[in-house]
Amino acid sequence: MLIVQKFGGSSLADANKITNVAKRVAETYRQGNQIVVVLSAQGDTTDKLLEKAREINPNPSKRELDMLLSTGEQQSIALISMALQGLGLSCVSFTGPQVGIHTSSTYGSARIRSIDTERVNNELERNNIVIVAGFQGVNRFGDITTLGRGGSDTTAVALAAVLQADLCEIYTDVEGVYTADPRVVKNAHKIDVISYDEMLDLASLGAKVLATRSVEMAKKYRVQLVVRSSMSNAEGTLVKEDVKVESTYVSGLAIDKDVASISVMGIRNVPGMAYKIFSLLSKEKILVDIILQSIGRDKKKDISFTINIGDLPKAMELLKNNQDNLGFEDVTYDDKIAKISVVGAGMATHSGVASMLFEALYSARINIMMISTSEIKISVLIDERDTDAAANYVHEKFFAVPAR
Ligand code: ASP
Ligand code: MG
């Protein structure tokens, strides 16, 4: 089999862990498989590098930031190669540019456009283990780019897709995808199988276990994906196309504290106002999530919406600068909020999921600020201080008896 094995930062944090990873790779190799290993930077290296940059310049150019951040992964690939060589195996490490991972030119959040497979295939044919630095590629200027936080997952899935690998394993420090973040919800349990669509929602709603883009890509190219622990032999979570939804209609809960809400108040009640406000934000690539419009006083209306907390300063600045020409009365924000979402493909055919969610929050006396629904998910916005209680109550309501 051809297997892509990706190891996250926590699985590579120190020399012992590196040795452990090398042993696991060696074992899979000795079973007769061809292996491509994709690595993240060790431990919190990427955060440390970001801090280092900010110490010198709080607002460095994105090109130079990518030049710096990509070094974390480069350390990992060299170290794992050395560990594998120590075990008597022949392997070769490559940076993203070296294996021809071509990306768009947006530094810091580049998208993979194409991958040259020749070099990797040649090495695999020579029975070498191929080690690739995750999270990075090269743009049309020949410059190094990075794929956004958590981007090593995307590298792994993309390689699995172009190499037509039989399996893509994502190794992490937990045993798989959980019904909720186990650090917050004590009774969270591992999910054995989940569909691409459900995983996509969980990832984009804040579950940090897989990068959203990697799931999009896995779905598009039908990559067999397994999320599992590098510390144990437990089976992990299989992410695949269709999962029978008989016994369960909710598969998981996502918690996102990186949200903020903005309220634009006293907007004239005439056509085009929503368009003007949101086109202002979209021009700056600010993603808007939940939107709520209400009729206020004097035939004016208020619009509230949520965005990622990182975009808050920019969004507020844009709105304030345009207050006069848009003609609204006031704009305020709240950054002490959290979003809790329940996700499940079975929701489309089961009624009452929303009321179960609201009942759980009511029993915990937690107030709901905004609600949004789609076919397979419901999200509510709450006070950030209520996050843990809300997550536990909601989880209890839906998962009191393990459904899978
Ligand atoms: N090292 C990068 C990060 O911390 C990429 C990754 O880990 O996937 O975001
Ligand atoms: Mg990750």
Side-chain angles (χ1 to χ4, degrees):
M1 289 217 295
L2 170 56
I3 304 178
V4 174
Q5 296 189 316
K6 181 257 167 180
F7 295 89
S10 52
S11 306
L12 303 163
D14 54 39
N16 268 335
K17 289 191 168 153
I18 295 230
T19 310
N20 176 50
V21 165
K23 281 187 185 146
R24 192 177 275 271
V25 172
E27 197 185 306
T28 317
Y29 178 78
R30 288 185 174 130
Q31 286 162 358
N33 298 298
Q34 291 183 308
I35 306 179
V36 176
V37 178
V38 175
L39 300 177
S40 291
Q42 287 185 278
D44 56 1
T45 302
T46 309
D47 292 323
K48 287 271 152 59
L49 289 170
L50 273 169
E51 263 171 46
K52 213 176 228 183
R54 303 243 145 83
E55 264 170 40
I56 288 163
N57 179 346
N59 207 359
S61 83
K62 290 190 163 176
R63 181 189 184 277
E64 299 312 323
L65 212 47
D66 279 1
M67 189 64 101
L68 182 69
L69 295 189
S70 57
T71 61
E73 273 67 16
Q74 198 174 330
Q75 292 181 20
S76 295
I77 56 170
L79 292 171
I80 282 284
S81 298
M82 293 170 191
L84 284 168
Q85 286 166 351
L87 296 173
L89 296 173
S90 65
C91 58
V92 54
S93 69
F94 294 118
T95 63
Q98 278 180 306
V99 278
I101 299 187
H102 300 278
T103 72
S104 63
S105 43
T106 13
Y107 301 103
S109 57
R111 282 182 172 260
I112 297 177
R113 294 250 191 271
S114 66
I115 301 181
D116 306 333
T117 50
E118 201 184 320
R119 198 149 182 197
V120 176
N121 278 328
N122 283 345
E123 296 298 337
L124 288 173
E125 268 160 35
R126 287 192 198 118
N127 286 323
N128 283 329
I129 297 173
V130 179
I131 324 272
V132 180
F135 178 55
Q136 53 179 261
V138 60
N139 66 15
R140 67 198 161 93
F141 308 114
D143 288 339
I144 201 156
T145 53
T146 67
L147 309 176
R149 297 307 302 268
S152 299
D153 295 340
T154 313
T155 306
V157 174
L159 277 167
V162 294
L163 297 168
Q164 296 180 318
D166 299 288
L167 182 63
C168 181
E169 294 181 316
I170 307 284
Y171 285 91
T172 177
D173 57 352
V174 289
E175 290 197 345
V177 181
Y178 278 67
T179 50
D181 184 340
R183 285 163 305 186
V184 178
V185 176
K186 294 172 294 292
N187 294 330
H189 57 262
K190 198 196 79 192
I191 301 171
D192 293 332
V193 195
I194 189 168
S195 68
Y196 291 124
D197 285 325
E198 290 170 296
M199 191 62 237
L200 202 52
D201 268 345
L202 282 179
S204 61
L205 290 167
K208 297 254 164 18
V209 62
L210 281 174
T212 307
R213 260 191 227 160
S214 72
V215 187
E216 275 169 13
M217 200 170 300
K219 179 184 172 182
K220 186 164 172 193
Y221 298 101
R222 300 276 175 263
V223 174
Q224 279 271 1
L225 201 59
V226 172
V227 181
R228 57 187 300 186
S229 165
S230 60
M231 328 287 172
S232 83
N233 281 321
E235 287 231 324
T237 301
L238 175 64
V239 188
K240 59 174 215 163
E241 188 150 17
D242 282 321
V243 180
K244 282 230 163 60
V245 277
E246 282 160 359
S247 56
T248 179
Y249 40 94
V250 167
S251 55
L253 196 103
I255 303 161
D256 187 358
K257 290 187 183 173
D258 294 335
V259 283
S261 69
I262 292 186
S263 296
V264 184
M265 285 167 303
I267 304 167
R268 280 180 298 132
N269 200 10
V270 295
M273 293 309 293
Y275 163 67
K276 284 177 188 159
I277 289 170
F278 292 113
S279 62
L280 205 62
L281 299 169
S282 78
K283 260 186 224 138
E284 293 297 322
K285 303 238 178 333
I286 296 174
L287 283 182
V288 173
D289 184 27
I290 307 177
I291 301 176
L292 194 79
Q293 173 172 298
S294 55
I295 296 297
R297 311 138 308 273
D298 308 330
K299 295 203 178 119
K300 302 235 167 146
K301 60 191 173 189
D302 302 337
I303 295 181
S304 300
F305 56 90
T306 62
I307 55 175
N308 190 287
I309 206 160
D311 290 330
L312 183 60
K314 179 114 218 170
M316 284 300 288
E317 186 191 318
L318 273 171
L319 288 164
K320 281 188 176 149
N321 289 344
N322 287 279
Q323 180 165 1
D324 289 343
N325 64 35
L326 291 175
F328 57 81
E329 283 161 9
D330 199 9
V331 53
T332 60
Y333 70 88
D334 187 350
D335 56 1
K336 300 276 184 294
I337 55 174
K339 186 169 67 178
I340 302 250
S341 312
V342 290
V343 172
M347 236 184 246
T349 51
H350 280 76
S351 58
V353 175
S355 78
M356 273 172 84
L357 171 64
F358 303 151
E359 188 187 349
L361 294 169
Y362 172 56
S363 61
R365 297 291 180 273
I366 291 167
N367 194 35
I368 301 171
M369 300 173 181
M370 286 195 214
I371 301 167
S372 120
T373 65
S374 81
E375 252 206 328
I376 68 165
K377 70 141 216 267
I378 304 175
S379 302
V380 292
L381 217 61
I382 57 172
D383 189 315
E384 196 176 69
R385 286 169 302 188
D386 293 331
T387 313
D388 288 15
N392 278 285
Y393 270 87
V394 173
H395 189 274
E396 191 60 29
K397 186 90 193 161
F398 288 102
F399 298 100
V401 182
R404 272 179 198 156

